[in-house]
């Protein structure tokens, strides 16, 4: 009859310890069922679940090996019912909970622990994705880990009301100034290949149509139309056409001046460099204008752009755009079309945006991220980032800081 043991070993990490423990387990005829090892500040923590089909002097053999290797070793017998419970738990779907912030307050661990327990979830693993805090960095001197702090937790449990869990996590994160993202783990999580971005207030720190209106002296008029749209009195296409009409007669030279001084979102250049290196196809899907999207494409290397084409005649903006207008439906449709053309599943796509007209695109993508969005958009999107730069998207894909900077 098979007996199962949980082997635990801890002590100061030294070369050769894994080999020594493996040799001792082999001497006893043990089979590996599961294994995990980590080293923190020079202290090794080794755990292995093993099976034995015959009596063996396991404890004595491991104790002898531990004395030789400088490790405290324990062998704990695992009852059959505990093993079956563990096996059933391991077969359940996994959730990935990601914590992101300039700094992570220790209190958030207690809050997250309580939240996951309330939903019947077990925390399987916690590990850091971000870089280390600078030497000497303290909450008083203002230093923080480069590109923010990020910790990833692996969760398992019975069927969970994911929407309720996300709603609670959003409120909890708002209280502590921390982004808490929860996504289902799958084979596609590290195999996404297409990422589509909104442009205004996502890739750049401004709304281009507002800048054009200011330069043309019609900002208040355009803002009034925007306000009517926010109250639901106009849909996107109606409001867009009304705002465009106010720009009639704007000199084309103004477009060039604004394009040259577009303020990039913090973290964008780093994000694009890594996405290109990792083989992602990068796309701008914008309700803004191709004139400015093309400028970003040339500057940062986006693979393709889809935005609204301004009609310019005799060096002046006419106040019209060419059909079709890129609205919420068009963004979602374009994302799906590009994925199909590239031979990708929707699960392999990512969308990032900040506005209500991005919600359909975010819902269509395998991973939809509301970036520095208004509360309503954050609530409706599956994931959101508000505390870090746009390069924090890399953490939600699951990349470690060390992997990217190597």
């Amino acid at each position: 009859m098979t007996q199962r043991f949980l082997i635990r070993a801890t002590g100061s990490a030294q070369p050769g310890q894994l080999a020594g423990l493996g040799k001792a387990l082999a001497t006893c005829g043990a089979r590996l069922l599961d294994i995990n090892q980590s080293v923190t500040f020079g202290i090794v923590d080794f755990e292995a679940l093993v099976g034995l089909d015959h009596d063996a002097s396991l404890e004595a053999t491991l104790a002898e090996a531990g004395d030789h290797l400088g490790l405290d070793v324990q062998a704990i017998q695992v009852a059959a019912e505990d093993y079956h419970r563990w096996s059933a738990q391991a077969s359940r779907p996994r959730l990935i909970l990601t914590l992101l912030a300039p700094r992570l307050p220790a209190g958030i661990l207690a809050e997250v622990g309580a939240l996951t327990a309330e939903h019947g979830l077990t925390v399987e693993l916690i590990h850091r994705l971000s870089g280390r805090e600078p030497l000497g960095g303290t909450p008083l001197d203002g230093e923080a880990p480069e590109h923010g702090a990020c910790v990833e937790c692996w969760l398992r449990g019975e069927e969970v009301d994911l929407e309720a869990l996300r709603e609670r996590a959003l409120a909890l994160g708002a209280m502590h100034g921390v982004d808490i993202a929860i996504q289902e783990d799958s084979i596609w999580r590290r195999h996404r290949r297409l990422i589509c971005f909104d442009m205004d207030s996502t890739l750049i720190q401004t709304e281009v149509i507002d800048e054009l209106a200011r330069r043309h002296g019609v900002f208040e008029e355009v803002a009034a139309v925007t306000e009517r749209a926010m109250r639901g009195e106009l849909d996107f296409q109606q409001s867009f056409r009304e705002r465009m009409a106010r720009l009639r007669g704007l000199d084309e030279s103004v477009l060039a001046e604004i394009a040259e001084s577009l303020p990039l979102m913090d973290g964008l250049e780093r994000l694009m460099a890594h996405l290109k290196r990792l083989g992602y196809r990068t796309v701008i899907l914008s309700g803004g204008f191709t004139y400015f999207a093309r400028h970003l494409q040339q500057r940062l290397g986006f693979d393709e752009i889809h935005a609204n084409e301004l009609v310019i005649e005799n060096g002046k903006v006419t106040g019209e755009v060419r059909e079709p207008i890129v609205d919420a439906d068009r963004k979602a449709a374009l994302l799906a079309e590009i994925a199909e053309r590239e031979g990708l599943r929707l699960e392999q796509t990512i969308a990032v945006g900040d506005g209500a007209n991005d919600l359909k695109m975010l819902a269509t993508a395998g991973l939809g991220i509301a970036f520095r969005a208004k509360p309503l958009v954050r609530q409706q999107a599956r994931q959101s980032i508000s505390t870090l730069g746009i390069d924090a998207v890399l953490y939600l894909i699951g990349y470690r800081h060390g992997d990217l900077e190597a």
Side-chain angles (χ1 to χ4, degrees):
M1 180 178 176
T2 297
Q3 292 181 298
R4 300 177 182 88
F5 292 86
L6 176 62
I7 312 302
R8 286 178 173 164
T10 187
S12 296
Q14 299 174 20
Q17 290 171 325
L18 179 62
L21 288 171
K23 184 176 180 180
L25 291 171
T27 299
C28 298
R31 302 190 317 277
L32 279 176
L33 304 176
D34 197 10
I35 189 168
N36 183 59
Q37 177 175 309
S38 63
V39 176
T40 305
F41 287 108
I43 302 299
V44 64
D45 186 6
F46 171 89
E47 293 181 330
L49 184 66
V50 302
L52 291 174
D53 292 327
H54 56 82
D55 291 334
S57 53
L58 179 66
E59 293 188 36
T61 302
L62 288 173
E64 182 180 350
D67 289 341
H68 177 68
L69 299 168
L71 295 172
D72 177 24
V73 185
Q74 296 176 289
I76 305 167
Q77 188 163 4
V78 177
E81 58 269 26
D82 292 333
Y83 176 75
H84 291 310
R85 191 180 305 115
W86 172 80
S87 296
Q89 175 84 2
S91 67
R92 294 169 186 155
R94 176 187 289 152
L95 296 177
I96 304 296
L97 184 149
T98 310
L99 302 172
L100 308 100
R103 287 182 174 278
L104 289 174
I108 196 67
L109 291 178
E111 299 276 15
V112 167
L115 176 65
T116 54
E118 180 184 327
H119 284 78
L121 294 165
T122 299
V123 181
E124 271 190 347
L125 176 70
I126 302 177
H127 58 178
R128 174 180 50 80
L129 299 184
S130 55
R132 302 184 188 280
E133 185 170 285
L135 186 63
T138 70
L140 297 179
D141 65 22
E143 287 190 278
E146 188 179 15
H147 311 300
C150 178
V151 168
E152 184 178 272
C153 308
W154 294 6
L155 312 174
R156 285 196 196 269
E158 298 289 351
E159 292 216 6
V160 177
D161 184 340
L162 200 51
E163 292 309 310
L165 178 60
R166 282 177 174 150
E167 186 177 339
R168 288 287 311 281
L170 185 67
L172 179 62
M175 288 175 53
H176 292 272
V178 174
D179 291 320
I180 305 178
I182 300 171
Q183 55 185 304
E184 297 172 274
D185 196 16
S186 75
I187 191 174
W188 306 112
R189 183 166 174 259
R190 290 290 293 268
H191 292 84
R192 294 188 169 109
R193 287 295 175 264
L194 170 66
I195 182 164
C196 298
F197 297 93
D198 173 48
M199 181 173 66
D200 295 35
S201 297
T202 299
L203 297 177
I204 55 176
Q205 300 181 49
T206 188
E207 292 285 331
V208 168
I209 197 167
D210 290 343
E211 296 304 314
L212 295 173
R214 283 191 181 91
R215 297 292 294 271
H216 200 44
V218 293
F219 177 75
E220 296 300 331
E221 296 175 40
V222 168
V225 176
T226 302
E227 182 61 30
R228 288 175 61 200
M230 292 180 66
R231 291 198 301 265
E233 297 173 12
L234 300 171
D235 64 22
F236 175 82
Q237 291 216 16
Q238 288 174 314
S239 67
F240 183 70
R241 291 182 188 281
E242 282 205 28
R243 286 179 290 173
M244 283 302 306
R246 303 300 197 279
L247 299 179
R248 186 179 295 113
L250 178 66
D251 197 280
E252 185 179 6
S253 64
V254 174
L255 277 62
E257 293 170 10
I258 292 175
E260 289 300 323
S261 59
L262 287 177
L264 299 183
M265 190 61 68
D266 47 304
L268 177 58
E269 291 175 295
R270 176 175 181 262
L271 173 62
M272 284 298 295
H274 287 306
L275 289 175
K276 300 303 287 184
R277 191 179 73 153
L278 294 166
Y280 279 78
R281 186 163 188 84
T282 55
V283 180
I284 296 176
L285 299 180
S286 174
F289 307 114
T290 55
Y291 191 99
F292 303 96
R294 194 171 295 115
H295 180 85
L296 291 180
Q297 182 181 34
Q298 293 168 352
R299 181 172 175 181
L300 297 170
F302 287 92
D303 292 300
E304 56 186 285
I305 61 170
H306 300 271
N308 294 303
E309 186 75 36
L310 286 167
V311 178
I312 300 174
E313 294 179 355
N314 301 318
K316 301 288 185 180
V317 172
T318 66
E320 296 182 359
V321 294
R322 304 190 192 283
E323 298 286 350
I325 289 176
V326 179
D327 58 8
D329 290 326
R330 181 76 176 144
K331 287 186 176 188
L334 282 166
L335 183 146
E337 288 172 15
I338 296 167
E340 183 177 8
R341 183 225 306 156
E342 296 297 319
L344 302 173
R345 295 169 57 108
L346 286 176
E347 291 91 339
Q348 293 178 272
T349 67
I350 304 168
V352 186
D354 74 294
N357 66 326
D358 295 313
L359 282 170
K360 290 185 178 180
M361 176 178 73
L362 301 186
T364 300
L367 175 62
I369 304 169
F371 179 72
R372 296 189 183 177
K374 290 183 171 57
L376 179 63
V377 179
R378 289 203 304 272
Q379 289 168 10
Q380 294 188 36
R382 283 167 292 172
Q383 317 298 341
S384 67
I385 297 173
S386 298
T387 63
L388 297 178
I390 197 169
D391 53 337
V393 166
L394 294 164
Y395 291 142
L396 292 193
I397 305 173
Y399 290 105
R400 293 173 180 266
H401 174 84
D403 297 335
L404 296 167
E405 305 304 327

